[in-house]
């Protein structure tokens, strides 16, 4: 693919473009979806594409090329030039990174065994059976295998290659209509894949959730399961992007250097973490990915930046390009020192929430939001789970949640599924005084 | 392209598929983003490929490729067949499709002002107009995210049962996020969208810049004059926009038969509705909810679905009674019925699944004044921000953005963030009167894995809810 990248770059420069980024993908993705303990559909995607970003005198344009012959490439570049030439410039554009860079291999991001895996259905069966053994009646979920190759060429001297694999499963187990649990497992190398643990957790929670009673509204101490807290953190990752901040989609607007969370809270983006689903060697400009501390001991340290945003704010890039919109790779919540049992023993009267979905904001800049617990939710009294509850809603404020984090578990869990698009590493989290509401009538 | 599609269908049959379909899709268009007055950039959309779906031994397989050669398509067909065979082994019951009448048709939506003939610079003018008009109001709007998008959506669908459907549907949209900051307070109108199937004439007629002006003025007034909403049992009049989100979330979604049968259980969830509830009362006699893909120029428009079945209006609720579920061929077959053409896919690389198109609360015979005049104490909810619903589609919440107090039959001052948190049955049983005029609002409906955000309209007439609990 590098020959095609070089050709695109050469032709773009000939036409007069300034900064040029050519990012080519070869992707093989396989999916097995299942419901009611049987496979509903199995899929395969084969994609070859080039994401192309060009700049002409501070005028920016981008497109994706799927036909990669010389004629299409030339026609596309000419069309891009014609389209951007008359546009007004983006005055706050400050260019892309100066390469070349050196890249290190990141452990546990590629496994030939996943590429060669003929048929992953046995892993689906393992997860389903584990859930059924725990007492589930029905299961539904999805398994993916991934094999990606990434070729990056830029006008600033970058030529970079990355190859990665992954396998993951997400399974939800049901007993009745309202008794369910959820488990996930996402890894980059086959020998670490543990579909059984996902199925078992889903089944265990479903069983604990039998015969739920209507939950009460009020203010409660809440233990968020990693699955639930990861959902909130994936929104947090979007809000940490400098683009989201400028566009009014973030409660972190104007809060650099300010306290936005309790002292015990440190949240990072780690682009180069071994065995993590979002890990890549380099960002879209070719800058080697790294660890960036977004919130350090409760204080907002930085937004996620690409080179242009970094120059605008007189900072260093955090290696999170996205050229228009910087993005997180793997969100990482620093663990605390509580065992799960110790965390529960801190709660006199509270709620254990195992999963949430449908997080929506009343106002992004103030951070007012609500989200709905799904799967088992449980009332805790004196450190013990006393009964399953249902039909409640977390209705609170994002910053208030971060400021009210009282304790963090010591074990981290890697969460990535339909509702958590940006992978998140998080422990169990205890939050004080969380607003809980319920529907009336 | 027809040849390649036909080749895929024939090849799949040769390899043992009892059912085979192939769908070529091409999307070409433009996206322009402007942030705080700065043009962020121009995106050119040029995406095409082919997706093949097969049934073999009662298992379903799907594969897609964007390399449009015979060799690549053949490879994809082989993969789909192989996956279907393997999937069949982990099934209790073979998948079957309902029997349908198929057609060989071509249809297109004509544009009066074709966006393909208009320069990016000229399209940028729509966003500049929003910038200018918002500035002219004198309201302080420090954060402005604006997006213009258009694309031509070309599809060729064929199956081995005689369907051949080709369509050309252009779609245009303008989206904005506006943050109003006055007197140290901040209010927001996020992701407001105006969107249609058709040409630029629809944007020019709709004037998104006037919607933006209306929004920022309402938010400024909310900051300056807004008071707490009443609490407890009151009447609530919901606008077509609020009625739209409510019918989409609490009627459209739970009536999707694949969800009811558990196929979406791990993602978008299940449903409180069961097939045996057809004929049961879920709302008052004033409530009729229609789902209609065929509304001309609608954002959710289509005439044939992505399984080649001819579309028609579907009455989900008729006078308060659960009347019809949304179905594709697989799930219609479970009930021994015919599909009502609800199968949609967002792209060539996605499978068609049961989706909504344009869902609305059908009009009644009340004028707006009549809806308001005998409300002693209540709230008129014009627009909403935060909303969500549980995954069985029963417990939902809508928070008003623009909203007003109603007192003794008159609309008074704005109220801040009235919260309606209610059950589906509670909501639709409380409706005692519905207005005469229907309006629609666009949205992107999420479902499926990988996600498929499909364009939909949501809307309806104004509706009056009696004695519902409102919170602050």
């Amino acid at each position: 693919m590098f020959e095609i990248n070089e050709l695109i770059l050469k032709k773009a420069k000939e036409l007069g473009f300034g900064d040029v980024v050519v990012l080519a993908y070869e992707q093989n993705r396989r999916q097995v979806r299942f419901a009611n303990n049987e496979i509903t559909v199995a899929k395969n995607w084969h994609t070859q594409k080039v994401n192309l970003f060009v700049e002409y005198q501070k005028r920016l344009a981008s497109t994706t090329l799927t036909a990669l012959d010389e004629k299409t490439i030339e026609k596309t570049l000419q069309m891009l030039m014609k389209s951007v030439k008359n546009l007004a410039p983006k005055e706050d554009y400050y260019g892309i990174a100066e390469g070349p860079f050196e890249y290190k291999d990141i452990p546990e991001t590629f496994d030939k065994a996943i590429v060669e895996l003929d048929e992953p259905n046995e892993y689906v069966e393992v997860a389903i059976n584990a859930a059924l053994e725990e007492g589930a009646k029905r299961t539904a979920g999805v398994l993916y295998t991934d094999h990606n190759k990434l070729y990056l060429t830029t006008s600033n001297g970058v030529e970079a290659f990355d190859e990665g694999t992954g396998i993951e499963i997400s399974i939800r187990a049901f007993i009745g209509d309202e008794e369910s649990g959820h488990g996930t497992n996402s890894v980059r190398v086959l020998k670490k894949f543990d579909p059984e643990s996902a199925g078992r957790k889903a089944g265990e929670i479903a069983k604990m959730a039998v015969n739920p009673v209507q939950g009460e509204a009020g203010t409660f101490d809440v233990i968020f399961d990693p699955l639930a807290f990861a959902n909130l953190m994936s929104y947090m990752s979007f809000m940490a992007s400098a683009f989201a901040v400028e566009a009014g989609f973030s409660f972190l607007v104007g809060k650099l250097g300010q306290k936005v969370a309790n002292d015990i809270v440190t949240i990072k983006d780690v682009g180069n973490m071994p065995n993590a689903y979002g890990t890549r060697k380099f960002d879209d400009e070719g800058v080697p990915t790294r660890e960036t501390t977004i919130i350090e001991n409760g204080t907002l340290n930085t937004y996620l930046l690409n080179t242009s945003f970094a120059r605008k704010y007189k900072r260093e890039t955090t290696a999170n390009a996205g050229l228009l919109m910087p993005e997180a790779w793997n969100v990482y919540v620093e663990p605390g020192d509580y065992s799960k049992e110790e965390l529960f023993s801190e709660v006199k009267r509270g709620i254990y929430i195992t999963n949430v979905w449908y997080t929506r904001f009343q106002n992004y800049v103030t951070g007012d939001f609500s989200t709905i617990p799904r799967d088992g939710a449980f009332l805790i009294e004196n450190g013990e789970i006393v009964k399953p509850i249902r039909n409640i809603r977390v209705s609170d404020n994002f910053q208030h949640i971060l400021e009210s984090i009282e304790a963090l578990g010591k074990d981290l869990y890697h969460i990535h599924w339909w509702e958590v698009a940006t992978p998140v590493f998080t422990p169990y989290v205890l939050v004080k005084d969380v607003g809980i509401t319920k529907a009336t009538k | 392209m027809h040849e390649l599609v036909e080749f895929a269908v024939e090849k799949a049959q040769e390899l043992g598929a009892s059912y085979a379909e192939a769908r070529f899709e091409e999307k070409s268009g433009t996206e322009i983003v402007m942030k705080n007055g700065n043009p962020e950039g121009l995106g050119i959309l040029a995406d095409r490929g082919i997706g093949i779906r097969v049934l073999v031994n009662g298992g379903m397989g799907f594969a897609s490729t964007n390399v449009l050669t015979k060799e690549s398509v053949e490879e994809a067909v082989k993969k789909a067949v192989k996956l279907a065979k393997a999937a069949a082994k982990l099934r209790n019951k073979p998948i079957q499709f309902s029997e349908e009448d198929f057609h060989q048709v071509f249809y297109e939506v004509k544009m009066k002002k074709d966006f393909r003939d208009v320069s990016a610079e000229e399209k940028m003018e729509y966003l500049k107009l929003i910038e200018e008009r918002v500035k002219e109001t004198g309201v302080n709007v420090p954060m402005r995210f604006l997006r213009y998008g258009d694309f031509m959506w070309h599809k060729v669908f064929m199956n081995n049962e005689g369907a051949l459907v080709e369509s050309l549907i252009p779609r245009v949209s303008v989206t904005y996020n506006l943050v109003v900051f006055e007197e140290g307070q901040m209010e927001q109108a996020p992701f407001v969208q105006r969107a249609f199937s058709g040409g630029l004439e629809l944007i020019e007629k709709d004037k998104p810049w006037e919607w933006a002006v209306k929004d920022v003025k309402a938010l400024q007034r909310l900051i300056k004059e807004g008071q707490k909403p009443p609490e407890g049992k009151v009447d609530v009049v919901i606008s077509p926009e609020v009625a739209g989100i409510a019918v989409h979330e609490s009627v459209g979604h739970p009536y999707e038969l694949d969800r009811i049968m558990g196929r979406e259980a791990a993602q978008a969830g299940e449903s409180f509705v069961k097939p045996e509830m057809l004929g049961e009362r879920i709302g008052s006699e004033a409530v009729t909810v229609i789902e209609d893909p065929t509304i001309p120029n609608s954002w959710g428009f289509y005439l044939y679905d992505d399984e080649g079945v001819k579309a028609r209006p579907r009455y989900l609720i008729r006078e308060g009674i659960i009347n019809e579920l949304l179905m594709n061929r697989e799930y219609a077959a479970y009930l021994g019925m015919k599909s009502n053409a609800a199968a949609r896919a967002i792209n060539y690389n996605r499978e068609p699944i049961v989706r909504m198109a344009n869902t609305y609360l059908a009009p009644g015979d009340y004028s707006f004044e009549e809806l308001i005049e005998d409300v002693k104490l209540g709230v008129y909810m014009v627009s909403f921000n935060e909303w969500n619903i549980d995954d069985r589609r029963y417990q939902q919440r809508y928070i008003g953005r623009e909203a007003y107090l109603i007192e003794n039959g008159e609309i008074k001052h704005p109220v801040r963030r009235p919260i309606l948190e209610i059950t589906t049955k509670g909501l639709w049983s409380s409706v005692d009167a519905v207005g005469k005029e229907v309006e629609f609002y666009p949205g992107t409906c999420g479902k499926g894995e990988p996600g498929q955000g499909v364009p939909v309209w949501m809307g309806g007439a104004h509706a009056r809810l009696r004695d519902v609990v409102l919170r602050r």
Side-chain angles (χ1 to χ4, degrees):
Chain A
M1 292 292 279
F2 276 125
E3 302 81 45
I4 292 168
N5 281 19
E6 287 297 332
L7 178 74
I8 294 170
L9 179 61
K10 183 169 154 264
K11 296 214 173 272
K13 293 306 280 185
E14 278 168 12
L15 274 173
F17 284 112
D19 294 333
V20 181
V21 174
V22 191
L23 184 57
Y25 294 86
E26 269 183 81
Q27 296 172 322
N28 269 302
R29 179 155 233 229
R30 192 162 37 179
Q31 181 198 54
V32 182
R33 276 187 64 152
F34 56 100
N36 299 314
N37 309 331
E38 60 183 352
I39 292 179
T40 53
V41 65
K43 299 180 204 167
N44 188 285
W45 294 280
H46 172 238
T47 312
Q48 243 184 34
K49 63 176 184 183
V50 171
N51 284 355
L52 176 61
F53 168 89
V54 286
E55 177 260 352
Y56 173 76
Q57 297 179 357
K58 289 201 166 203
R59 293 150 174 91
L60 311 184
S62 60
T63 190
T64 300
L65 278 164
T66 49
L68 301 171
D69 57 287
E70 197 166 336
K71 206 172 142 196
T72 307
I73 289 167
E74 259 176 37
K75 212 177 107 193
T76 306
L77 286 166
Q78 279 163 4
M79 191 245 312
L80 286 173
M81 181 54 96
K82 193 177 151 219
S83 303
V84 292
K85 242 181 176 168
N86 297 318
L87 284 184
K90 174 174 160 57
E91 296 296 350
D92 61 349
Y93 175 73
Y94 298 98
I96 57 172
E98 294 282 345
F101 298 95
E102 281 192 15
Y103 304 104
K104 283 186 191 149
D105 278 337
I106 303 166
E108 296 184 322
T109 51
F110 176 76
D111 184 2
K112 216 169 145 205
I114 292 176
V115 180
E116 289 170 353
L117 181 65
D118 182 50
E119 221 260 83
N121 290 357
E122 61 179 288
Y123 298 109
V124 171
E125 284 188 271
V126 165
I128 291 175
N129 289 337
L132 297 180
E133 278 166 28
E134 292 297 328
K137 301 281 182 238
R138 291 178 288 134
T139 62
V142 63
L143 174 139
Y144 285 104
T145 69
D146 286 290
H147 179 204
N148 298 317
K149 291 180 190 171
L150 207 54
Y151 307 78
L152 177 69
T153 308
T154 79
S155 56
N156 276 0
V158 169
E159 187 172 285
F161 174 74
D162 196 6
E163 183 171 12
T165 53
I167 184 163
E168 59 179 346
I169 196 163
S170 165
I171 176 168
R172 210 163 164 227
F174 294 81
I175 291 178
D177 279 347
E178 294 185 285
E179 293 107 349
S180 59
H182 192 161
T184 66
N185 191 253
S186 308
V187 293
R188 302 288 298 266
V189 291
L190 193 57
K191 65 172 183 248
K192 294 210 167 175
F193 190 43
D194 186 8
E196 187 183 335
S197 69
R200 215 160 279 292
K201 181 177 177 188
E204 275 169 12
I205 293 172
K207 199 174 172 194
M208 277 162 63
V210 170
N211 297 326
V213 297
Q214 172 66 52
E216 293 306 313
T219 304
F220 291 85
D221 295 348
V222 169
I223 291 178
F224 287 97
D225 187 277
L227 206 59
F229 203 69
N231 178 278
L232 302 185
M233 285 299 101
S234 76
Y235 284 90
M236 162 87 203
S237 76
F238 166 68
M239 291 188 167
S241 168
F243 184 94
V245 170
E246 286 194 353
F249 291 118
S250 175
F251 74 101
L252 299 172
V253 175
K255 290 181 182 160
L256 274 178
Q258 292 180 24
K259 289 288 273 188
V260 293
N262 193 355
D263 289 346
I264 62 167
V265 178
T266 293
I267 298 171
K268 298 172 177 173
D269 173 62
V270 188
N272 55 359
M273 182 165 357
N275 195 25
Y277 231 80
T279 294
R280 269 171 51 169
K281 275 187 195 168
F282 43 83
D283 74 0
D284 284 3
E285 301 174 41
V287 181
T289 49
R290 61 177 170 104
E291 182 176 309
T292 299
T293 305
I294 303 166
I295 293 172
E296 187 162 23
N297 300 328
T299 301
L300 179 63
N301 193 30
T302 186
Y303 300 130
L304 298 177
L305 307 168
N306 56 20
T307 297
S308 182
F309 274 107
R311 289 180 182 154
K312 179 175 174 182
Y313 297 133
K314 299 191 170 35
R315 284 174 169 252
E316 295 241 315
T317 177
T318 58
N320 289 98
L323 293 157
L324 288 184
M325 190 173 152
E327 56 182 312
W329 306 115
N330 301 295
V331 176
Y332 183 95
V333 181
E334 280 280 352
D337 48 13
Y338 283 77
S339 69
K340 191 177 161 190
E341 293 68 35
E342 286 166 344
L343 209 60
F344 274 78
S345 69
E346 291 290 307
V347 179
K348 279 218 175 84
R349 189 165 183 276
I351 299 172
Y352 168 40
I353 290 175
T354 63
N355 197 6
V356 296
W357 86 314
Y358 229 129
T359 304
R360 287 289 183 278
F361 285 78
Q362 162 68 210
N363 187 316
Y364 288 86
V365 182
T366 59
D368 296 332
F369 78 103
S370 68
T371 188
I372 306 186
R374 79 174 197 179
D375 304 311
F378 305 93
L379 192 68
I380 307 168
E381 278 173 7
N382 301 318
E384 301 286 330
I385 288 176
V386 289
K387 59 185 166 191
I389 55 174
R390 61 176 178 160
N391 299 337
I392 55 167
R393 182 176 267 103
V394 174
S395 305
D396 210 298
N397 175 281
F398 224 92
Q399 189 163 324
H400 175 254
I401 294 274
L402 293 178
E403 285 170 344
S404 308
I405 291 177
E406 186 79 4
L408 295 149
K410 62 183 173 190
D411 297 317
L412 281 180
Y413 298 84
H414 181 199
I415 308 293
H416 182 234
W417 70 285
W418 195 64
E419 270 281 311
V420 182
T422 302
V424 175
F425 285 78
T426 176
Y428 284 81
V429 178
L430 168 60
V431 185
K432 288 270 179 198
D433 300 333
V434 177
I436 300 290
T437 58
K438 63 171 186 175
T440 48
K441 193 164 183 175
Chain B
M1 203 44 65
H2 289 71
E3 282 168 26
L4 211 50
V5 171
E6 197 175 344
F7 168 74
V9 171
E10 283 172 3
K11 194 78 208 168
Q13 287 175 278
E14 267 174 40
L15 294 173
S18 58
Y19 172 79
E21 68 182 30
R23 181 165 34 87
F24 165 80
E25 290 199 18
E26 181 171 29
K27 284 185 191 143
S28 45
T30 317
E31 179 191 67
I32 299 167
V33 175
M34 190 179 253
K35 197 180 73 203
N36 304 333
N38 246 321
E40 283 292 305
L42 170 81
I44 303 286
L45 175 67
D47 190 18
R48 56 186 194 154
I50 192 165
I52 296 113
R53 191 171 64 145
V54 298
L55 293 181
V56 188
N57 307 335
M60 188 185 285
F62 178 90
S64 74
T65 177
N66 64 352
V67 180
L68 292 171
T69 59
K70 249 186 167 175
E71 296 71 38
S72 178
V73 170
E74 186 171 343
E75 198 51 40
V77 172
K78 280 182 186 164
K79 279 178 183 160
V81 169
K82 186 182 171 203
L83 289 166
K85 274 184 188 162
K89 290 179 198 152
L90 244 181
R91 279 199 70 83
N92 309 320
K93 203 175 144 191
I95 295 173
Q96 288 183 325
F97 279 3
S98 59
E99 292 205 0
E100 304 291 341
D101 303 319
F102 290 109
H103 306 270
Q104 302 212 344
V105 289
F106 169 83
Y107 70 99
E108 67 179 317
V109 173
K110 299 268 190 200
M111 291 187 270
K112 282 187 188 136
K113 186 171 180 183
D114 191 326
F115 51 68
R116 292 169 297 188
D117 302 334
V118 173
S119 71
E121 193 189 10
E122 212 175 313
K123 290 169 186 172
M124 176 84 89
E125 289 300 319
Y126 297 131
L127 304 185
K128 282 188 189 159
L129 210 47
I130 296 178
E131 282 279 317
E132 280 164 25
R133 294 287 167 83
V134 164
K135 203 170 276 177
E136 281 165 18
T137 60
V139 180
N140 182 29
V141 189
M143 289 172 198
R144 307 170 306 279
F145 169 84
L146 313 176
R147 180 190 171 278
Y148 163 88
D150 64 43
F151 65 99
M152 176 59 82
W153 198 345
H154 178 204
K155 292 188 191 190
V156 181
F157 172 88
M158 187 184 280
N159 68 17
N160 66 335
E161 296 175 17
L164 173 59
V165 181
E166 182 171 9
S167 60
L168 275 173
I169 304 180
R171 283 183 156 88
V172 288
S173 69
V174 169
T175 309
Y176 58 80
N177 172 55
L178 298 168
V179 177
V180 171
F181 191 79
E182 296 258 332
E183 300 177 359
Q185 289 178 50
M186 206 276 307
E187 293 289 344
Q188 186 171 29
F191 294 115
V192 175
Q193 191 182 32
R194 307 296 306 162
F196 309 89
S197 288
L200 292 175
E201 71 281 358
L202 298 167
I203 293 290
E204 288 171 3
K205 189 176 160 214
D206 184 66
K207 300 183 176 68
W209 36 94
E210 288 186 3
W211 289 89
V213 164
K214 180 183 163 290
D215 266 322
V216 299
K217 282 186 174 167
L219 293 180
Q220 183 194 40
R221 194 175 161 212
L222 182 61
I223 290 171
K224 289 179 184 290
E225 300 169 33
Q227 296 179 26
K228 281 185 179 173
E231 244 183 325
K233 268 196 178 176
V234 295
D235 295 343
V236 173
V237 175
I238 57 174
S239 71
E241 185 179 342
V242 179
I245 191 72
V247 291
H248 178 91
E249 299 293 2
S250 71
V251 184
H253 275 305
Y255 289 52
E256 296 161 349
L257 188 55
D258 59 343
R259 174 197 288 275
I260 292 170
M261 304 299 279
R263 193 185 195 259
E264 290 293 317
Q267 295 89 11
E270 298 194 321
S271 176
F272 73 93
V273 175
K274 304 291 169 212
E276 54 271 24
M277 286 167 73
L278 283 166
E280 265 184 33
R281 179 163 293 284
I282 189 75
S284 74
E285 284 182 5
V287 177
T288 291
V289 177
I290 305 170
E291 224 295 321
D292 185 2
T294 68
I295 298 170
N297 296 121
S298 60
W299 187 228
F301 178 80
Y302 62 87
L303 293 182
Y304 288 82
D305 78 354
D306 290 325
E307 291 181 335
V309 179
K310 192 168 197 267
R312 61 167 171 82
R314 293 142 323 192
Y315 280 67
L316 302 183
I317 298 179
R318 201 187 280 273
E319 294 172 359
I321 306 291
I322 298 176
N323 182 66
E324 184 173 3
L325 306 171
L326 289 168
M327 292 179 285
N328 61 357
R329 293 185 66 194
E330 179 182 354
Y331 286 93
Y334 278 104
L335 300 190
M337 297 175 85
K338 286 200 165 216
S339 165
N340 51 18
R344 297 180 76 185
I346 190 63
N347 207 354
Y348 70 86
N349 56 12
R350 298 287 193 269
E351 59 169 336
I353 53 173
V354 178
R355 306 307 297 268
M356 278 176 267
N358 304 301
T359 319
Y360 67 99
L361 179 65
D365 48 10
Y366 281 71
S367 69
F368 180 67
E369 292 70 28
E370 285 168 335
L371 288 176
I372 302 289
E373 70 191 6
D374 66 346
V375 173
K376 280 202 179 112
L377 179 67
V379 161
Y380 172 35
M381 199 186 282
V382 183
S383 58
F384 64 94
N385 275 355
E386 184 185 309
W387 82 101
N388 48 30
I389 186 161
D390 68 45
D391 61 357
R392 301 178 67 244
R393 302 280 159 180
Y394 203 63
Q395 318 267 336
Q396 61 224 280
R397 141 156 154 161
Y398 311 99
I399 301 192
R401 176 166 80 231
E402 183 182 353
Y404 302 92
L405 180 76
I406 310 171
E407 209 171 43
N408 299 322
E410 279 181 34
I411 293 176
K412 300 279 178 69
H413 57 76
V415 292
R416 291 174 188 276
R417 303 185 186 195
I419 300 172
L420 182 60
E421 197 165 350
I422 193 167
T423 65
T424 295
K425 194 163 186 176
L427 171 66
W428 298 114
S429 302
S430 305
V431 176
D432 84 323
V434 178
K436 290 176 187 170
E437 307 290 334
V438 169
E439 286 174 29
F440 290 99
Y441 293 81
T444 302
C445 173
K447 190 180 168 184
E449 178 168 3
Q452 300 200 47
V454 299
V456 295
W457 260 4
M458 303 168 270
H462 281 88
R464 184 173 61 205
L465 319 179
R466 291 288 198 192
D467 289 335
V468 291
V469 174
L470 206 61
R471 294 201 356 263
R472 293 171 176 166

